[in-house]
């Protein structure tokens, strides 16, 4: 068997990532060797695979749902926004250049600016655009399908984005070329799901419509029997069935893709519902800096009983925080300017002078230093940092992509690094290849707080510095909580989808004779 399925959505954030992960977990529990795939992802939340490739965190988490090791094949194209109009293009896990949206999606405009040493992938983008990557995408998918029993693909946005269909390499472009059946997911909690389902199909060409097998309703609240007449009418209008109605459940979101939105939906546990082990809670304020990346780092804090995590953008919101986290960013200099304009930089400096805890991660670590030399990311040249850590940062054109392992606070720590900035540490106490001065910590390591022993030791230090009688729970396992979450996603599919019909779809493809719904795609 070499089955496959593409999960499309009526909109962005309809639930494609969650459904893909849920199907992967359901299949692997049935003994199926399954892998996830997303041809092209736009995200500031990324992950480093064991071979040193950068991919979207959502695909890494879907690989965990499938119980396989993530690889660059699962997300061959990653776009990391640097502004509203341009992104860094990461091809097969390596950055190959910056490109404008017009240059990438359009038929004219600027080509990619290859980075030195990028080699043939960068040259492939020179003068080329999104459609030039279709061959790479299909090669990766073919390799996965040759290795696994089934590959569950995730689309992006909507398959009915008629302005982008000609160059599409992630939705119907993949489905057509690979012969994949398509399920369309709709978020009924937003309203308008029937119109969205119908309109999505009706704006596709006859050839694309022939692959759309049916629908999956996501985030339903209430009595399903009240929805069933609408599903019957939808079937009558489109000739396509609904493969399941997934109920609304809190805390099911896997790692967030869009770092431009502030959300804690990626947290594995909603911190407000968990009582502290000790007498006090800990309040964590995360600075919602521009182009925030890998803010999933704080998920492990939110998983701890008695910790309340919130994102902030005003100086006064730091006043009652026991720990301030300055997270990663795709725009370190821009974030530094933003902190100063909003008075947050002064507030963080006052905290440091008072011995109150501050943690900087990756870009957040860089801006806590003395100065930054940036001719790569912002091209701003010499910029003074906040001066809270004895660190000088120089941006290199080659990106650091590693999976470091080490020790801190007497505990084993694992993490991953994704950065252009090279830090020269000239003082302080060593801390995860960064440093610590008083109650200010800085490191390039993402994911370090997922190491349970280290997280507890760090929180004990924070509580002592903050004067809080907070005690970390002795048995919180972030990995176990994540596995529990992925099992819940698998349960959703197993309990609320027609799994027999879903299996036939994966194994045999879209049903024959699906009707055409006018008007179809515009010429």
């Amino acid at each position: 068997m070499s089955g496959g399925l593409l999960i499309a959505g009526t909109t962005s954030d309809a639930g494609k990532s969650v459904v893909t992960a849920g199907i992967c977990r359901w299949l692997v529990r049935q003994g199926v060797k399954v892998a996830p795939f997303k041809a092209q992802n736009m995200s500031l939340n990324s992950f480093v695979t064991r071979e040193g490739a950068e991919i979207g965190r959502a695909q890494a988490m879907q690989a965990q749902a499938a119980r396989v090791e993530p690889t660059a094949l699962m997300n061959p194209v990653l776009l990391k926004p640097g502004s509203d109009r341009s992104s860094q293009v990461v091809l097969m896990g390596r950055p190959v250049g910056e490109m404008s949206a017009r240059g990438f999606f359009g038929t004219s405009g600027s080509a990619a600016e290859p980075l030195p040493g990028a080699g043939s992938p960068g040259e492939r983008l020179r003068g080329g655009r999104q459609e030039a990557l279709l061959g790479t995408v299909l090669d990766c998918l073919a390799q996965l399908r040759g290795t696994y029993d089934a590959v569950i693909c995730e689309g992006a946005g909507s398959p009915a984005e008629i302005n982008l269909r000609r160059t599409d390499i992630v939705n119907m472009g993949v489905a057509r070329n690979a012969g994949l059946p398509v399920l369309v997911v709709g978020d009924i909690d937003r309203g308008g799901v029937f119109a969205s389902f119908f309109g999505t199909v009706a704006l596709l060409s006859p050839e694309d419509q022939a692959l759309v097998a049916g629908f999956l309703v996501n985030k339903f609240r209430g009595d399903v029997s009240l929805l069933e007449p609408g599903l019957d009418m939808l079937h009558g209008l489109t000739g396509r069935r609904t493969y399941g109605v997934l109920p609304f459940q809190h805390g099911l979101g896997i790692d967030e893709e869009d770092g431009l939105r502030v959300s804690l939906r990626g947290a594995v546990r909603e911190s407000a519902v968990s009582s502290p082990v000790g007498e006090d809670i800990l309040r964590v304020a995360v600075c919602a800096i521009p182009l925030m990346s890998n803010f999933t780092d704080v998920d492990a804090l939110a998983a701890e009983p008695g910790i309340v995590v919130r994102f902030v953008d005003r100086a006064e919101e730091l006043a009652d925080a026991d720990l301030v986290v300055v997270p990663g960013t795709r725009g370190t200099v821009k974030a530094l300017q933003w902190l100063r304009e909003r008075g947050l930089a002064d507030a963080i400096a006052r905290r440091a002078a008072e011995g109150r805890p501050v943690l900087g991660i990756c870009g957040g670590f860089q801006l806590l230093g003395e100065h930054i030399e940036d001719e790569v990311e912002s091209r701003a040249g010499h910029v003074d940092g906040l001066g809270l850590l004895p660190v000088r940062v120089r941006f290199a054109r080659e990106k650091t992509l590693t999976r470091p392992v080490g020790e801190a606070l007497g505990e084993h720590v694992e993490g991953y690094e994704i950065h252009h900035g090279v830090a020269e540490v000239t003082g302080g106490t060593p801390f995860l290849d960064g440093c610590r001065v008083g109650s200010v910590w800085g490191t390039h390591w993402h994911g370090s707080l997922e190491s349970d022993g280290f997280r507890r030791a760090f929180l004990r230090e924070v509580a002592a510095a903050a004067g809080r009688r907070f005690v970390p729970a002795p048995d919180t396992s972030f990995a176990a909580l994540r596995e529990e979450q992925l099992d819940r996603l698998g349960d959703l599919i197993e309990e609320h989808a027609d799994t027999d019909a879903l299996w036939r779809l994966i194994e045999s493809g879209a049903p024959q004779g699906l009707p055409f719904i006018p008007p179809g795609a515009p010429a």
Side-chain angles (χ1 to χ4, degrees):
M1 173 195 172
S2 180
L5 176 66
L6 188 138
I7 304 298
T10 55
T11 62
S12 293
D13 209 31
K16 298 183 292 291
S17 297
V18 167
V19 168
T20 300
I23 292 176
C24 285
R25 178 49 60 102
W26 162 65
L27 284 173
V28 78
R29 293 196 308 206
Q30 309 309 308
V32 177
K33 188 180 180 184
V34 59
F37 177 78
K38 185 164 186 175
Q40 175 187 299
N41 200 346
M42 178 173 280
S43 178
L44 285 170
N45 285 333
S46 57
F47 182 76
V48 179
T49 67
R50 291 202 183 278
E51 70 267 30
E54 184 179 8
I55 66 172
R57 274 199 66 94
Q59 279 59 68
M61 196 53 55
Q62 289 162 355
Q64 186 175 346
R67 296 177 181 150
V68 296
E69 190 66 34
T71 73
L73 293 174
M74 298 172 185
N75 180 207
V77 183
L78 173 64
L79 305 180
K80 302 194 73 174
S83 70
D84 290 341
R85 296 190 175 185
S86 68
S87 295
Q88 182 182 70
V89 181
V90 179
L91 180 60
M92 294 304 297
R94 298 290 175 181
V96 295
E98 295 281 337
M99 181 173 271
S100 69
R102 176 181 290 275
F104 190 72
F105 292 104
T107 58
S108 63
S110 61
E113 177 187 326
L115 298 175
S120 58
E123 293 302 316
R124 192 176 303 162
L125 282 178
R126 189 190 293 275
R129 292 167 186 83
Q130 187 184 33
E131 67 266 31
L133 299 177
L134 181 60
T136 299
V137 163
L138 295 176
D139 286 346
C140 291
L141 179 56
Q143 288 185 58
L144 290 174
R145 296 185 78 180
T147 304
Y148 292 90
D149 299 329
V151 178
I152 308 303
C153 307
E154 179 187 345
S158 162
E161 291 169 345
I162 54 179
N163 56 315
L164 302 178
R165 175 61 185 91
R166 187 186 64 78
T167 60
D168 171 43
I169 65 169
V170 64
N171 290 306
M172 301 310 299
V174 168
R176 280 270 292 279
N177 280 279
L180 295 173
V182 178
L183 271 188
V184 180
V185 178
D187 180 355
I188 198 171
D189 198 49
R190 295 181 175 189
V193 74
F194 291 116
S196 298
F197 281 146
F198 183 89
T200 296
V201 178
L203 281 176
L204 300 178
S205 69
E207 294 83 2
D208 286 350
Q209 285 193 24
L211 294 174
V212 178
F215 313 106
L216 195 66
V217 176
N218 192 30
K219 297 183 183 178
F220 179 73
R221 304 173 190 254
D223 186 347
V224 176
S225 65
L226 299 177
L227 184 67
E228 288 171 350
L231 301 179
D232 292 338
M233 286 185 273
L234 181 67
H235 184 271
L237 288 166
T238 66
R240 291 159 173 85
R241 57 168 299 176
T242 298
Y243 282 72
V245 178
L246 308 184
F248 186 100
Q249 291 190 17
H250 289 283
L252 284 181
I254 64 173
D255 290 9
E256 188 71 63
E257 286 196 346
D258 193 348
L260 300 178
R261 289 195 300 268
V262 173
S263 168
L264 252 187
R265 289 183 301 126
V268 296
R269 177 178 292 177
E270 296 169 3
S271 56
V273 304
S274 303
S275 300
V277 174
E279 297 180 43
D280 289 343
I281 65 171
L282 278 185
R283 295 177 176 86
V284 178
V286 184
C287 295
I289 56 181
L291 298 173
M292 183 168 52
S293 62
N294 286 68
F295 60 85
T296 48
D297 284 331
V298 301
D299 285 358
L301 296 178
E304 282 285 347
I307 292 188
V308 177
V309 179
R310 66 182 186 273
F311 288 89
V312 304
D313 59 6
R314 295 181 299 177
E316 55 269 28
E317 293 179 290
L318 302 188
D320 67 343
D322 301 304
L323 170 66
V324 170
V325 177
V326 188
T329 174
R330 172 88 161 86
T332 302
V333 171
K334 182 182 293 187
L336 189 56
Q337 180 182 358
W338 181 87
L339 289 171
R340 286 177 168 140
E341 289 173 349
R342 290 178 169 263
L344 284 158
D346 289 339
I348 292 171
R350 286 194 299 271
R351 288 183 62 90
E354 295 165 359
R356 302 175 67 195
V358 177
L359 171 64
I361 302 174
C362 199
F365 165 45
Q366 294 167 9
L367 59 82
L368 293 179
E370 296 169 348
H371 70 255
I372 298 167
E373 289 288 342
D374 182 10
E375 299 292 349
V376 176
E377 192 174 75
S378 69
R379 301 184 181 178
H382 180 95
V383 178
D384 289 333
L386 298 186
L388 304 182
L389 292 174
V391 175
R392 300 166 186 167
V393 176
R394 175 186 54 82
F395 273 69
R397 291 189 177 273
E398 191 72 24
K399 182 183 282 191
T400 297
L401 296 168
T402 64
R403 292 272 293 269
V405 176
E407 184 176 299
L409 305 179
E411 298 287 347
H412 176 79
V413 192
E414 297 182 13
Y416 58 99
E417 295 186 47
I418 306 170
H419 55 90
H420 283 283
V422 178
E424 178 189 0
V425 179
T426 60
T429 303
F431 177 74
L432 297 179
D433 292 345
C435 66
R436 170 187 181 178
V437 174
S439 292
V440 180
W441 293 266
T443 177
H444 271 133
W445 291 25
H446 293 291
S448 62
L449 293 168
E450 296 179 17
S451 297
D452 297 327
F454 166 71
R455 183 180 65 253
R456 294 183 193 115
F458 176 71
L459 290 174
R460 284 192 288 269
E461 295 258 352
V462 168
R468 296 288 186 185
R469 290 170 294 184
F470 170 84
V471 178
D475 56 353
T476 300
S477 167
F478 185 83
L481 288 171
R482 181 52 56 87
E483 276 297 303
E484 176 186 304
Q485 182 192 40
L486 293 172
D487 274 332
R488 290 175 65 198
L489 294 179
D491 292 344
L492 269 184
I493 299 300
E494 190 167 340
E495 296 170 9
H496 299 283
D498 185 339
T499 52
D500 288 340
L502 197 59
W503 177 252
R504 288 194 297 272
L505 196 62
I506 293 169
E507 191 174 34
S508 304
Q512 298 296 308
L514 292 169
F516 171 71
I517 309 301

